Amino acid sequence: MDPFHNPFIAEHAERARTIPLEEFSPANPKYMEMDVWRPYFSRLREEAPLHYCEDRIIGPYWSLTRYKDIMATEVNTKVFSSSSTFGGITLMDQREELPMFIAMDQPKHDEQRKVVQPIVSPQNLENMEKLIRQRTQRVLDALPRNETFNWVEKVSIDLTNMMLATLFDFPFDDRALLTYWSDSATANTLGGGHVDSEETRERILAECLAYFTRLWNERVNAEPGSDLVSMLAHGPATRNMSPREYLGNLVLLIVGGNDTTRNSMTGGVCFLNQNPDEYARLRANPALVEPMVSEIIRYQTPLAYMRRTALEDFEMHGQTIRKGDKLAMWYVSGNRDSAAIDNPDQFIIDRARPRQHLSFGFGIHRCVGNRLAELQLRILWEEILQRFSKVEVVGPPKRVFSAFIRGYTELPVRVIP
Amino acid sequence: MPRATFIDHAGESRTVEGAEGENLMRVAVLNDVPGIDADCGGECACATCHVFVDDAWLDKCGEPTELETSMLSFAATAQPNSRLACQIILTSALDGIVVETPVAQH
Ligand code: HEM
Ligand code: FES
């Protein structure tokens, strides 16, 4: 049986084609969980590139679905704010404001970003490459052979978690906490997981802050180190942050470096199984790993959208976005826009300009960790090709219930030597 | 057509021609000059077309916009003579311009 057979897609394709546009709710987390989002967004791109939705839970919001419109909005930071003062970067307005530099505007954003940016300098990435490779080798060598296991848990989570521990110089034996905090920060409270309310989330994040405050106190009086905690504790724009702002920036760095790369590590296995010809071409020519990594990140789009809030009235596509309105820039849709990308629904491992995709965002908030994420994925696939003729998907993937995080909780696989 | 010289991090130099009015990033990409990624395709939104402009040419390139200055301020290897190649328009006044590319584009 085809593990990727989706029994719901036909029904949703029909629904997306026929229901009135006013009834569209692009941010329905079920669409991602059930993997039926594509037909909805393709109709929006065609017929309603700026779409308005009155949502019961998240309130009214606009959706942008075309590549070009998203790019133009990303660079228009005078009109479109990321600030958590107005609700931040996700559609659901947070009850407790959590300041972090991804959710700040200029000039404060720039000052704080510059503090942590050196963690991914070309020099630092070069230094980290050897360590990442050794760990990847160890994880792959320890995998069970000829036996079904969950790729998400045994490979994707383990590798991204170790990477995070290194970036923070976090006590290695406690590193599972990082994954726990990351998942807790992003969990949808309606998703049936361990975070069943905002109160629970706040309690777990308070534990995270307490732990990291110990690390801060140790490092603030030591010589400046090259880990993220030390950088924040010594950085001119961050050393006097409030505890709440420290927590916000920690959550940003933990989530930013975790879920996204993790889900790209899993997504790649899915896409190569769905496209056996591409897998064969990759095996025949391992030099294709490099462009393939960018294609995986485009095709997965680990963060489906970023939200902005309008600071003034703005005309677009004959409609007026009012001051204070919120707007989702749907990267996941822009990445499938045929006006910007040839054959966008095709997974093609050797595209001519594979990095021209929206998954990392653009403009002043463009992902800090983009080259690090690419490095981790490149090493993973280089080492997989060294060891296994195939990582075979043997059961259906389970996807995350979220309109924001596009990811997997489970992918049953076998590795074939 | 005006000419532009790109010197890569290892010191290798490549001189190519570009149409007047074309931006320097496109001139590099169209001529397969390595060392320029141009992830955003010239929208001043990625800073992966970062170059160091030879001092003799810097003033002739005009002033960077606010957005370009912000984007450059995040580039790990930025110097006072850093510019984004997609924001430099090749004209006859820039015929012969020399730029260097950084060790990597971030
Ligand atoms: C495939 C993996 C990744 C994806 C798809 C991704 C995606 C994104 C996106 C969409 C943004 C926001 C862009 C915008 O608002 O315009 C962002 C920002 C950010 N990412 Fe990533 N990311 C990834 C990996 C990482 C890693 C490994 C790190 C950690 C080192 C990281 C750290 C950050 C930070 C700190 C920001 C905030 C930048 C700012 O506001 O200036 N990301 N990322
Ligand atoms: S190509 Fe992106 S900033 Fe120049």
Side-chain angles (χ1 to χ4, degrees), chain A residues 125-149:
Chain A
L125 290 188
E126 207 181 302
N127 296 344
M128 283 190 282
E129 174 155 359
K130 202 166 140 211
L131 180 67
I132 299 174
R133 192 175 299 278
Q134 282 169 351
R135 284 180 180 163
T136 308
Q137 291 168 340
R138 218 173 301 140
V139 165
L140 295 179
D141 285 337
L143 292 176
R145 308 295 146 120
N146 300 314
E147 183 183 303
T148 300
F149 64 90

Side-chain angles (χ1 to χ4, degrees), chain A residues 18 30 45 68 91 107 115 125 182 192 196 214 251 256 269 295 302 304 314 338 356 370 412:
Chain A
T18 48
K30 280 218 158 305
R45 276 194 309 275
K68 256 186 111 101
L91 284 172
V115 172
L125 290 188
S182 176
D196 50 9
R214 285 204 302 280
V251 168
V269 173
E295 178 70 348
F314 193 79
S338 57
Q356 290 193 4
N370 61 355

